[in-house]
Amino acid sequence: MYDLIFAPFIEFGFMQRALAGSLLLSISACPVGVFLMLRRMSLTGDAVAHGILPGAAVGYLLFGLDLVPMTIGGLIAGLVVALGAGAVSRLTLQKEDASLAAFYLISLALGVLVVSLRGSSVDLMHVLFGTVLALDNAALTLIGSIAIITLVGLTIFWRGLVAECLDPLFLRSVSRLGTPVHFVFLALTVLNLVAGFQALGTLLSVGLMMLPAAAARFWVNRVETMCLLAVLFGAVSCVIGLLVSYHAALPSGPSIILAAGAIYLTSVLVGTRGLVRTRLATRRHRTA
C-alpha cells in the first residue's frame, strides 16, 4: 500500500509539486466549472481554453518556455476571445454559440501555426497537453495566486452568481450587478484556464474544470454542496491520475482527465440522480 499510493508523493519532489499544483487547480477551477455548467456555458469554457493558445504561443515564440510571457499572452488572448465572442453575439444577429465556435477555431489554428514557426512537435505537444510533472515553484506560485483570487471573487460575488444562474433577467431587473457579475465570472474563468494551461495544456485544462462539476450534478442539488463535491472529485481525479501516470508510465495530463471521466461516468450510472436510481424510482412509481 505504501509503495503503491504514498511512496511516489513522499520520495519524489516532482510528484509533490504535481500533486500540489493539481490540487490547487481543483480547489480553484472546479467551483467555476459548477457555475459554467449551471449557466449552460460549458462549451464556453472549452472555447476560451482554445482561445488561450495563440497568446501563449506568441509568448513562447518571443521568449521560449518562459512562464510569465506565456501566462500574460494566454490571459490576454483568452479575454479577447471571451469578450469578442460576447460582443459579436450582442451587437449582431449571430448567436453566442456560433461566435464562440468561430473565435475558437480561429484561435486554435492561429496558435498551432505560431508554435510551428519556431518549435518542434515536442514543443507543440507541451503547449497543447501541458506537463504537470514539470511544474516548478514559479508555476505553483501562479496557480496558488489564481486560486486565492478565485476563492475571494466567488465569496464576494456568490449571491450574484447564484442569482444569475437561476434567473439572470430577474437579477438585471432588480440590480445593476448583473453585467458586472457576468464579466467578473468570465475573468475568473479565463484566469483558471490560464492556470490549468500550465499543468494540463490548452486542450485538457477545461477537463478538470468541467468533468468534476458535471459529476457532482448527479449527486446533489444545492450549489454550495455541488461546489464542494466537485472539488473533492477533482482532487481524487488528480491523485488517481498521477498515480496511474507514475506506475504505468503514461502521460500525466490525460491520465488525470480520464480519471475525472471515470468518476463522471460512474456518477451518471449510480449517482442519486443517475440512470440506475432514476429508472428504479420510475418503476416503483408505476407499480405503486
Side-chain angles (χ1 to χ4, degrees):
M1 182 66 70
Y2 173 83
D3 292 335
L4 183 65
I5 298 177
F6 299 104
F9 299 119
I10 294 177
E11 297 177 4
F12 299 102
F14 69 92
M15 288 292 288
Q16 295 172 6
R17 289 189 293 273
L19 180 62
S22 57
L23 290 180
L24 285 171
L25 281 175
S26 299
I27 294 171
S28 179
C30 290
V32 174
V34 168
F35 284 105
L36 279 172
M37 177 189 61
L38 293 177
R39 298 171 66 168
R40 299 180 181 180
M41 294 173 61
S42 300
L43 292 179
T44 300
D46 187 50
V48 175
H50 289 83
I52 291 171
L53 181 57
V58 170
Y60 164 77
L61 183 66
L62 297 177
F63 300 96
L65 294 174
D66 192 330
L67 176 66
V68 175
M70 292 180 69
T71 299
I72 295 175
L75 181 60
I76 294 173
L79 289 173
V80 168
V81 168
L83 298 178
V88 169
S89 64
R90 295 195 178 196
L91 299 177
T92 69
L93 296 176
Q94 192 171 63
K95 300 296 183 181
E96 189 171 15
D97 60 339
S99 60
L100 278 171
F103 275 84
Y104 140 67
L105 292 170
I106 295 170
S107 299
L108 180 61
L110 180 61
V112 172
L113 181 63
V114 171
V115 174
S116 301
L117 290 176
R118 173 176 174 178
S120 63
S121 59
V122 175
D123 297 319
L124 181 60
M125 292 290 287
H126 170 84
V127 174
L128 292 178
F129 298 104
T131 51
V132 66
L133 296 180
L135 290 177
D136 55 15
N137 292 333
L140 288 178
T141 300
L142 171 69
I143 295 172
S145 300
I146 290 176
I148 292 173
I149 293 172
T150 300
L151 293 178
V152 172
L154 290 176
T155 301
I156 294 174
F157 295 99
W158 180 267
R159 295 183 64 183
L161 289 169
V162 173
E164 193 173 27
C165 290
L166 299 176
D167 194 341
L169 294 179
F170 173 77
L171 177 62
R172 292 174 186 174
S173 65
V174 300
S175 173
R176 296 181 179 178
L177 292 177
T179 300
V181 165
H182 179 72
F183 284 110
V184 167
F185 177 69
L186 285 178
L188 292 178
T189 302
V190 173
L191 278 174
N192 279 274
L193 289 172
V194 169
F197 158 76
Q198 304 298 330
L200 301 172
T202 58
L203 295 186
L204 296 178
S205 59
V206 73
L208 188 60
M209 180 179 287
M210 296 310 308
L211 285 172
R217 189 71 175 90
F218 287 100
W219 294 95
V220 294
N221 287 323
R222 293 182 58 85
V223 179
E224 299 91 337
T225 313
M226 202 179 300
C227 289
L228 293 175
L229 189 59
V231 170
L232 176 62
F233 285 160
V236 171
S237 301
C238 293
V239 173
I240 294 175
L242 288 173
L243 288 174
V244 169
S245 171
Y246 175 81
H247 291 293
L250 294 173
S252 53
S255 297
I256 291 173
I257 302 306
L258 286 176
I263 293 175
Y264 169 75
L265 293 176
T266 302
S267 301
V268 170
L269 293 175
V270 301
T272 55
R273 305 180 65 190
L275 288 175
V276 173
R277 298 198 182 188
T278 302
R279 291 293 180 88
L280 289 175
T282 302
R283 289 183 182 179
R284 290 173 183 173
H285 179 73
R286 288 177 178 177
T287 56

